[in-house]
Amino acid sequence: MYKKIGLILAIIAVNNIITVTPGLPMPVYYAVFGLAFLTVVVSEQPKFDGILSFFVLAIIFSIIGNTIPSYFQAEQRFISFLLIFCLISPWFFSDPLSEMRTYLFKYTNLLLIFVVVLSFLGNVSGGFSGIGRSDMYQGFTSHSMLLGPIASVVLLMAVWKGSQQNTNRKVFFACAAIVIICLYTLLLTGSRGSLIGGVFSSFVLLVLVFRRNLGKLIKLGVFLMLLLVATVPFWSAYTANIDKKNEYAEEEGDNFASRSELWNYRYEEFEQSPVIGIGFASANKGEINTINGRIEPGTSWGVLFAQLGILGGIPLILLFISYFAKLYRFEDAFNKGKLLFAMLLFFTIHMVVEGYILGSGSFMFFYVWLLLGVIKNRIKEKEVIIY
């Protein structure tokens, strides 16, 4: 039953980011996840995670301790947040929840690989260019800034699989092809945060895999550097979107001109109420839609401290540090712990430039909290299936 629930939820979550298929209305989306949680949790009483309990309390304090304008709908957004968060995050833990998250993670990853590869084939064949807003490549997804991090996640999975000792030649070349597709995708989407985070996390993953074989690691490093230099004429032709952003940054005198203003807004909000924040799902700086309460966070870490203050930010930082330490020490034959470490590292970096950690309607919110739930599985020595 949990396998089927995982499959259904994965299809629903990924389908909601695809432009060529009808997605579920958000109230139905939340209701399905809430129903799934009740279905799974009734079979066995779950345990609570202490750190995340403080995190949830911080959200509650930020709501009751602030006068939040009604158009932000903070209470309703908190309920929506809990409907997803309770099911996929490590806040609740039990064997049934662990099994469901394992299959949800597996099927989500398989679908993401399919989305990236199919988008690539559509683009290079001319059948579906995947060019969306501002002439940015978004493939079959709803936005280039969504396809970018998805490509980075798929990149890490391909590097992980290709670096295993027992990988046969056919699988290795398939992984190499997916790596090239992901790099192509990252260049065309123009997402510098995804490109930097994905490539750096892939490098860290290789270091972790071969850290006990220094000679092989050095050879691999030299090979990759030579390959990078030799292929400059090829990949430099696809950097137009990144070049546009770099040119704009140079004009503004800021390497991250498109984000620095938003970072400053979040910092100013944090200064206003550093302990409990200015209130969950709210803002008082930058562009604010006073009809539906939507804002442009610009950074997950910034919005975390701005909205929830130190009470909300510190628990999540402690959770990340704890998971990094435990995954680093964990050894397994297939290096799944190392892959999870690299994935968590990617999101730690990517959350600096994109603000989805509290946005329950975002697919990246879904994926990062699911990843944390799966890492909890690994720490508890439960089965983890990558794809």
Side-chain angles (χ1 to χ4, degrees), residues 254-373:
D254 186 341
N255 288 332
F256 293 94
S258 61
R259 283 288 180 269
S260 59
E261 186 177 37
L262 296 171
W263 294 342
N264 289 332
Y265 288 152
R266 304 292 83 86
Y267 179 71
E268 290 171 8
E269 289 168 346
F270 170 72
E271 286 186 311
Q272 294 171 21
S273 181
V275 179
I276 64 170
I278 62 169
F280 177 74
S282 68
N284 55 39
K285 301 285 184 180
E287 293 186 14
I288 300 171
N289 189 320
T290 55
I291 297 176
N292 57 28
R294 289 183 181 176
I295 63 172
E296 174 58 49
T299 164
S300 288
W301 294 113
V303 82
L304 188 65
F305 279 90
Q307 293 184 3
L308 309 183
I310 293 172
L311 288 181
I314 295 301
L316 200 59
I317 288 178
L318 291 176
L319 183 74
F320 272 56
I321 292 173
S322 170
Y323 282 6
F324 274 127
K326 290 173 181 177
L327 288 172
Y328 182 80
R329 293 194 299 265
F330 192 89
E331 296 286 348
D332 61 282
F334 298 102
N335 296 319
K336 291 180 181 179
K338 296 179 178 64
L339 172 61
L340 296 177
F341 182 102
M343 285 181 163
L344 186 60
L345 177 61
F346 166 73
F347 280 103
T348 302
I349 297 169
H350 192 255
M351 282 166 54
V352 174
V353 295
E354 294 293 343
Y356 45 77
I357 192 64
L358 298 177
S360 57
S362 164
F363 177 79
M364 300 319 298
F365 167 93
F366 161 82
Y367 195 90
V368 72
W369 284 111
L370 175 60
L371 173 64
L372 291 168

Side-chain angles (χ1 to χ4, degrees), residues 156 159-165 201-214 216-217 220 328 331-339 342:
L156 287 169
V159 171
W160 164 76
K161 186 65 176 178
S163 63
Q164 291 183 11
Q165 291 184 350
S201 300
S202 297
F203 173 75
V204 171
L205 175 58
L206 290 173
V207 170
L208 292 175
V209 170
F210 297 112
R211 63 183 174 180
R212 300 189 187 281
N213 192 337
L214 186 59
K216 192 169 186 178
L217 181 61
L220 180 63
Y328 182 80
E331 296 286 348
D332 61 282
F334 298 102
N335 296 319
K336 291 180 181 179
K338 296 179 178 64
L339 172 61

Side-chain angles (χ1 to χ4, degrees), residues 122-239:
N123 179 265
V124 297
S125 68
F128 185 84
S129 69
I131 304 300
R133 310 175 200 180
S134 303
D135 293 326
M136 292 293 188
Y137 175 59
Q138 65 183 49
F140 284 100
T141 69
S142 55
H143 201 287
S144 61
M145 294 300 102
L146 183 57
L147 182 58
I150 289 174
S152 291
V153 168
V154 175
L155 171 66
L156 287 169
M157 289 189 285
V159 171
W160 164 76
K161 186 65 176 178
S163 63
Q164 291 183 11
Q165 291 184 350
N166 61 342
T167 300
N168 62 47
R169 189 177 295 271
K170 289 182 180 179
V171 173
F172 176 81
F173 283 117
C175 291
I178 292 176
V179 166
I180 293 171
I181 289 172
C182 290
L183 292 174
Y184 174 89
T185 301
L186 286 167
L187 289 173
L188 286 193
T189 59
S191 175
R192 293 175 296 173
S194 296
L195 179 61
I196 294 170
V199 172
F200 179 72
S201 300
S202 297
F203 173 75
V204 171
L205 175 58
L206 290 173
V207 170
L208 292 175
V209 170
F210 297 112
R211 63 183 174 180
R212 300 189 187 281
N213 192 337
L214 186 59
K216 192 169 186 178
L217 181 61
I218 293 173
K219 290 179 182 177
L220 180 63
V222 171
F223 170 76
L224 291 176
M225 288 299 296
L226 292 175
L227 181 65
L228 180 67
V229 173
T231 56
V232 166
F234 172 78
W235 57 258
S236 61
Y238 298 97
T239 61

